[in-house]
Amino acid sequence: MSEKTMGEKLQEQLLDTPKNGYDRIDDATQAAIQEFSEGYKAFLDNGKTEGEVVEYTIAMLKEHGYEEYQLGKKYGPGDKLYLNNRGKALAFVTMGTKPLSEGVKMVASHIDSPRIDMKPHPLYEDTQTAFFKTHYYGGLRKYQWVVMPLALHGVVVKKDGTQVKIHIGDDEGDPVFVINDLLPHLAQQQSQRTLAEGIKGEELNIVVGGCPFKDDKVSQRVKLAIAKILFDKYSIVESDFVTAEITAVPAFGARDVGFDRSFVGGYGQDDRVCAYTSLIAALESPNPTYTTVTVFADREEIGSCGNTGMKSAYLKHFLADLAAPYGIPVRNILDSSECLSSDVAAAVDPTFPDVTEKYNSAYMNYGVSIEKYTGSRGKSGTSEASAVFFAKLRKLFDDAGVVWQTGELGKVDQGGGGTVAVYLAEENMDVIDVGVPVWSMHAPFEVTSKLDIYMAYRAYVTFLNMKD
Ligand code: MN
Ligand code: MN
């Protein structure tokens, strides 16, 4: 082996040259990466709405000894508990050996994803076809949601309070639903529209049937026939839709992508990829030094508003109640707490290189992405982690062999976005964004890297088990 030149030595010593994650791991880790994604794909398939994620997660928590939080109870080291907020948001806790006054280690993700909700009066008939009118939720690109199989998920709460679950389209043999688009032969005018207007909100109408009810005495016979099927199957009538929560989601499940199976493709990975990895990290951290809090927030995609979103007081109230038996004011917990805002990052897409700045963006397979700030333009609407906090995590993750990278959300003037980080920072915690890079974010079929997923999990485990 020839000796390194001075230039090579200096390069190694002085320059920060990011490396592909696969060049930084051993064969055992590579096998673990493949294995880890299996549970993740099952999580995606079982949780296409925030309600389903909460239900699936609680079952896993119970298997691992978590119990529902009891107000007023004094919890001690190693105790495991969860708080279910209206079946849509979740916080789960493992009590540490240090007192709560020394703060908690929090990992906060969100479990809502862009989707297509039904309007209060969804069912109508036009030209002997029955449709559902919809109202999209979150920042989705409407043209991506047409001409593909959709499933309907949700719950109908009837006047007497009984709940009827809707879950149709995912299982083999189920019918699916679809939003139509024009044929190219007649799309001359539509093709002149901008991409943003290519499909408009009021064109997201879902085909739900076409067979008329056999009775000459009534009008709207297809609508009536569908109403009858809904009544026979779910015991619901048209007015029950007004108080229902039904949404359309992609009917297909999560799949491996690529000949080498190095990617996961699937719906709702923003941000269930961070939810799943933080869940497994918490389950594998039964005896933490600091109390750990894992949060699955709702409503992030529409601005974290509402009682199940991160702007809601519920989380702070919960921490206050948890500390009350010890006589610790909640502000003393928050002031000394540290939090990872675990949300996805935008990965550089080689097909669309112009929107990202290549020296400061997250890349697929380069590990979990740590972002000091998000926001748009002049760091608008974001919190920014301190250099002290970031440096502490840098050492922690490097020492634990976590493969990580850093990035910004696109070019400075390109656009931007935010995460729940800002709302947690406003409670006076140290917060930084740590999440998985994604391609085609908010599309019906988003793509992530299995290596990055695994490294997010490794980062969260390392963080939750911090000793000081
Ligand atoms: Mn997100
Ligand atoms: Mn999002």
Side-chain angles (χ1 to χ4, degrees):
M1 214 170 88
S2 60
E3 193 150 306
K4 280 180 184 164
T5 64
M6 182 57 82
E8 283 174 324
K9 282 184 199 160
L10 281 175
Q11 186 173 284
E12 220 165 81
Q13 185 193 350
L14 302 180
L15 301 185
D16 181 14
T17 315
K19 265 198 202 141
N20 189 300
Y22 282 105
D23 294 329
R24 301 173 59 183
I25 57 168
D26 55 24
D27 290 350
T29 308
Q30 190 152 344
I33 284 169
Q34 282 293 338
E35 175 68 28
F36 189 83
S37 69
E38 295 305 312
Y40 171 51
K41 285 180 285 176
F43 184 80
L44 288 177
D45 291 349
N46 283 284
K48 290 187 179 179
T49 66
E50 63 279 357
E52 291 165 5
V53 173
V54 165
E55 212 178 300
Y56 190 75
T57 302
I58 287 177
M60 283 176 80
L61 291 173
K62 283 181 172 166
E63 273 174 32
H64 286 79
Y66 286 75
E67 289 173 9
E68 188 156 20
Y69 170 65
Q70 289 172 41
L71 183 63
K73 185 168 168 183
K74 193 171 187 174
Y75 291 93
D79 283 349
K80 298 175 186 65
L81 53 129
Y82 66 87
L83 180 84
N84 174 357
N85 183 357
R86 296 171 168 85
K88 288 166 176 282
L90 195 61
F92 43 100
V93 171
T94 304
M95 299 298 288
T97 47
K98 279 188 189 276
L100 280 168
S101 54
E102 294 196 32
V104 301
K105 302 298 169 201
M106 183 181 289
V107 181
S109 61
H110 68 90
I111 53 172
D112 62 315
S113 296
R115 60 180 191 241
I116 299 179
D117 288 342
M118 298 313 117
K119 288 192 184 191
H121 286 134
L123 180 61
Y124 72 99
E125 173 176 339
D126 194 339
T127 323
Q128 282 96 61
T129 306
F131 294 90
F132 277 170
K133 285 301 291 182
T134 68
H135 193 142
Y136 61 92
Y137 170 94
L140 52 80
R141 307 188 72 192
K142 291 170 281 245
Y143 74 88
Q144 294 176 339
W145 291 72
V146 298
V147 289
M148 60 156 191
L150 296 169
L152 296 176
H153 288 210
V155 62
V156 182
V157 184
K158 299 203 288 183
K159 216 177 191 175
D160 63 2
T162 50
Q163 299 197 5
V164 185
K165 271 205 180 134
I166 309 280
H167 190 287
I168 181 166
D170 302 76
D171 298 332
E172 211 170 315
D174 276 1
V176 295
F177 307 89
V178 70
I179 298 166
N180 290 337
D181 195 3
L182 272 177
L183 62 170
H185 318 67
L186 300 177
Q188 256 188 79
Q189 278 169 319
Q190 188 201 33
S191 297
Q192 301 307 311
R193 297 183 190 173
T194 62
L195 193 56
E197 290 261 291
I199 296 289
K200 298 177 187 177
E202 295 299 349
E203 292 168 346
L204 293 173
N205 302 320
I206 300 177
V207 174
V208 297
C211 181
F213 189 82
K214 279 201 174 85
D215 185 340
D216 292 345
K217 295 281 192 316
V218 294
S219 59
Q220 306 254 306
R221 293 185 300 140
V222 179
K223 177 177 173 177
L224 183 65
I226 295 300
K228 177 147 190 334
I229 291 171
L230 290 170
F231 184 74
D232 292 343
K233 189 171 168 64
Y234 302 111
S235 304
I236 56 173
V237 296
E238 190 178 13
S239 60
D240 290 327
F241 279 114
V242 175
T243 53
E245 288 173 355
I246 303 173
T247 192
V249 291
F252 43 75
R255 302 287 293 270
D256 289 344
V257 173
F259 288 115
D260 58 5
R261 299 177 179 271
S262 58
F263 300 109
V264 172
Y267 165 67
Q269 299 202 68
D270 173 8
D271 182 33
R272 292 166 192 146
V273 67
C274 295
Y276 179 74
T277 45
S278 65
L279 166 64
I280 301 303
L283 296 181
E284 293 183 4
S285 308
N287 297 299
T289 303
Y290 291 89
T291 293
T292 66
V293 182
T294 312
V295 182
F296 285 6
D298 183 24
R299 311 302 286 179
E300 194 278 340
E301 294 296 355
I302 51 94
S304 296
C305 315
N307 52 18
T308 52
M310 199 50 97
K311 287 183 190 167
S312 161
Y314 85 93
L315 187 63
K316 195 169 158 182
H317 291 170
F318 172 48
L319 292 177
D321 291 342
L322 201 62
Y326 292 97
I328 302 167
V330 71
R331 65 170 185 276
N332 293 148
I333 303 180
L334 296 167
D335 294 352
S336 47
S337 287
E338 293 178 330
C339 176
L340 304 187
S341 161
S342 47
D343 203 346
V344 293
V348 170
D349 187 332
T351 305
F352 304 101
D354 294 349
V355 299
T356 44
E357 185 268 279
K358 63 183 176 187
Y359 305 112
N360 289 283
S361 293
Y363 289 82
M364 283 291 185
N365 293 321
Y366 276 61
V368 63
S369 185
I370 309 183
E371 316 209 336
K372 198 163 179 283
Y373 49 84
T374 58
S376 37
R377 296 173 302 280
K379 301 192 178 180
S380 169
T382 182
S383 58
E384 182 161 355
S386 73
V388 173
F389 182 44
F390 199 165
K392 181 177 168 181
L393 292 178
R394 174 187 174 190
K395 174 159 173 35
L396 184 79
F397 292 154
D398 282 347
D399 289 352
V402 174
V403 175
W404 65 274
Q405 58 180 326
T406 192
E408 289 195 339
L409 184 47
K411 282 183 177 167
V412 173
D413 287 330
Q414 188 69 41
T419 64
V420 297
V422 63
Y423 311 113
L424 296 160
E426 282 167 4
E427 298 294 348
N428 200 27
M429 287 186 263
D430 273 307
V431 187
I432 194 164
D433 281 290
V434 180
V436 176
V438 176
W439 277 330
S440 309
M441 197 190 294
H442 290 194
F445 196 74
E446 301 170 309
V447 178
T448 53
S449 131
K450 290 184 180 177
L451 182 144
D452 302 338
I453 295 167
Y454 184 76
M455 289 301 163
Y457 146 74
R458 291 300 314 157
Y460 302 147
V461 166
T462 304
F463 174 76
L464 293 178
N465 289 288
M466 272 170 77
K467 300 275 182 250
D468 44 47

